[in-house]
Amino acid sequence: MTGLKDIALLTGRLLLALIFVHEGYTLMTNFSGGAEYMAKQGISLPLFVLVIVLQLGAGLLLVFGVLTRLGALALGLFCVATATMFHTNFANLNELLHFEKDLGIAGGMFTLAAVGAGAISIDRVLEPWLMQRFSRQA
């Protein structure tokens, strides 16, 4: 039976994933412009491609609730890195806002990594299977 907690976890996962799936898709469809901007920021092309893969891949993991803890942890660390690499000019209130936003999203991701995807997810079936599988080998 699905409870309010599971509906809240699904809603939270979808809202958090939207940010990354949208941004990853935007970067992918405007690859040359994104790569040019990132190069000006000192980000190499291979790292830029990795960012797109991370945003789309981990974002979709959250959407479907597959390996949610891992995807959320990766995106949380990505948000902390983004905040500290790109948004530290606190004299600019817009940059301060982006810094705080990135840290807030990271907090949501770390919380999701801690509690998991909930019952409305593929993880509901996958996690017990993985735990059983790996506990036998240990």
Side-chain angles (χ1 to χ4, degrees):
M1 192 162 130
T2 303
L4 186 58
K5 174 185 170 187
D6 295 310
I7 293 169
L9 283 169
L10 172 63
T11 304
R13 279 189 359 242
L14 294 175
L15 290 172
L16 285 167
L18 175 65
I19 298 164
F20 297 97
V21 172
H22 177 261
E23 184 63 20
Y25 177 78
T26 300
L27 290 174
M28 185 179 67
T29 57
N30 184 22
F31 189 85
S32 60
E36 185 179 319
Y37 172 77
M38 291 301 244
K40 289 179 184 175
Q41 303 301 317
I43 304 298
S44 68
L45 186 60
L47 188 55
F48 174 63
V49 170
L50 186 62
V51 165
I52 294 171
V53 170
L54 173 67
Q55 289 184 335
L56 287 174
L60 290 172
L61 291 179
L62 295 185
V63 167
F64 295 107
V66 179
L67 301 174
T68 305
R69 293 173 191 267
L70 182 62
L73 179 61
L75 289 171
L77 293 171
F78 173 75
C79 285
V80 171
T82 300
T84 57
M85 289 173 64
F86 294 106
H87 304 299
T88 55
N89 179 9
F90 300 142
N92 180 326
L93 291 180
N94 188 49
E95 289 299 312
L96 176 61
L97 174 66
H98 283 289
F99 180 83
E100 293 171 338
K101 171 195 57 86
D102 284 346
L103 292 184
I105 294 168
M109 289 297 179
F110 295 144
T111 300
L112 188 57
V115 301
I120 309 170
S121 69
I122 295 172
D123 280 346
R124 179 178 179 208
V125 175
L126 190 61
E127 279 184 350
W129 180 82
L130 288 172
M131 295 296 279
Q132 183 183 34
R133 186 88 164 159
F134 287 110
S135 66
R136 285 186 193 166
Q137 294 177 358

